[in-house]
Amino acid sequence: MTDIRHLVCPNCHKVNRVPADKLSSGGNCGACKQPLWPDQILELTDQSFAAHTGRSDLPVLVDFWASWCGPCKMMAPQFEQAAKDWRGKVRFAKLNTEQAQGPASQFGIRSIPTMILFQNGREVARQSGAMNQVQINQWLQSKGIR
C-alpha cells in the first residue's frame, strides 16, 4: 500500500493526495493543474495561511517578514536557497506582516524576521533573527526534520 501525503497547492490552495515517494519530483495540482512545487517561495495571505499550515502533512516553515526590514531583505535569498535543499520535505512560505496582520497577531510576532515551523497545524519551533542558508538547514535538522 502506498504512503499518501496531503499537500496544499500553492496556487489554488486545494489539498492534493500525493504518494510520499513522489513528493520531491514535483507533479501538478489535480484541481488547477499548476505545479505543486513552483520555483518561487509560497507567499501566504490571511486567507491561505490556515490551509497551508493546517492541512499539509509536510512541515511548513513560515518566514514572517516586512518590506521595510533590512535583515528580512538580507535573509530572503538565503531562505530561497534553503527551500531548494528541502524540496519535497518542507514547504517554505513567506508571510508579509504588513499585509497579513491576522496570522502575525495570532502568533504574537514581535520581531522580524521570525521563522515558525508548523506541523499538523501546530507551531513546533520558532526562531527570530536573520539566518543564512546553512543556519536555516542546521536549525531544521535540530528540530528533527530530515
Side-chain angles (χ1 to χ4, degrees):
M1 200 158 141
T2 306
D3 186 18
I4 299 293
R5 300 290 164 87
H6 294 99
L7 184 63
V8 180
C9 174
N11 187 56
C12 71
H13 313 296
K14 302 273 189 211
V15 177
N16 286 260
R17 294 170 39 92
V18 181
D21 60 343
K22 304 273 188 212
L23 280 171
S24 63
S25 64
N28 293 328
C29 175
C32 72
K33 310 301 183 215
Q34 296 298 311
L36 289 172
W37 290 99
D39 291 334
Q40 67 275 10
I41 299 287
L42 172 63
E43 293 281 344
L44 295 175
T45 64
D46 281 320
Q47 294 75 29
S48 64
F49 181 84
H52 286 275
T53 58
R55 299 186 65 203
S56 176
D57 288 336
L58 291 182
V60 178
L61 181 61
V62 179
D63 173 21
F64 290 81
W65 70 286
S67 61
W68 52 263
C69 170
C72 297
K73 290 178 184 180
M74 288 177 16
M75 189 173 102
Q78 300 296 313
F79 192 75
E80 289 176 21
Q81 287 299 318
K84 293 175 184 174
D85 297 337
W86 293 91
R87 181 183 171 112
K89 298 175 188 167
V90 177
R91 170 76 78 198
F92 277 59
K94 295 179 80 62
L95 184 120
N96 185 328
T97 58
E98 294 174 307
Q99 296 173 353
Q101 295 178 3
S105 175
Q106 177 185 356
F107 287 95
I109 301 301
R110 302 272 185 261
S111 65
I112 52 174
T114 292
M115 294 186 307
I116 299 181
L117 181 64
F118 293 91
Q119 285 187 299
N120 302 317
R122 292 188 327 244
E123 176 182 338
V124 295
R126 179 184 293 229
Q127 175 68 44
S128 293
M131 298 173 79
N132 65 35
Q133 175 186 358
V134 171
Q135 292 169 319
I136 294 169
N137 289 341
Q138 290 172 341
W139 183 76
L140 282 170
Q141 289 170 352
S142 76
K143 303 306 171 199
I145 308 298
R146 302 275 179 242

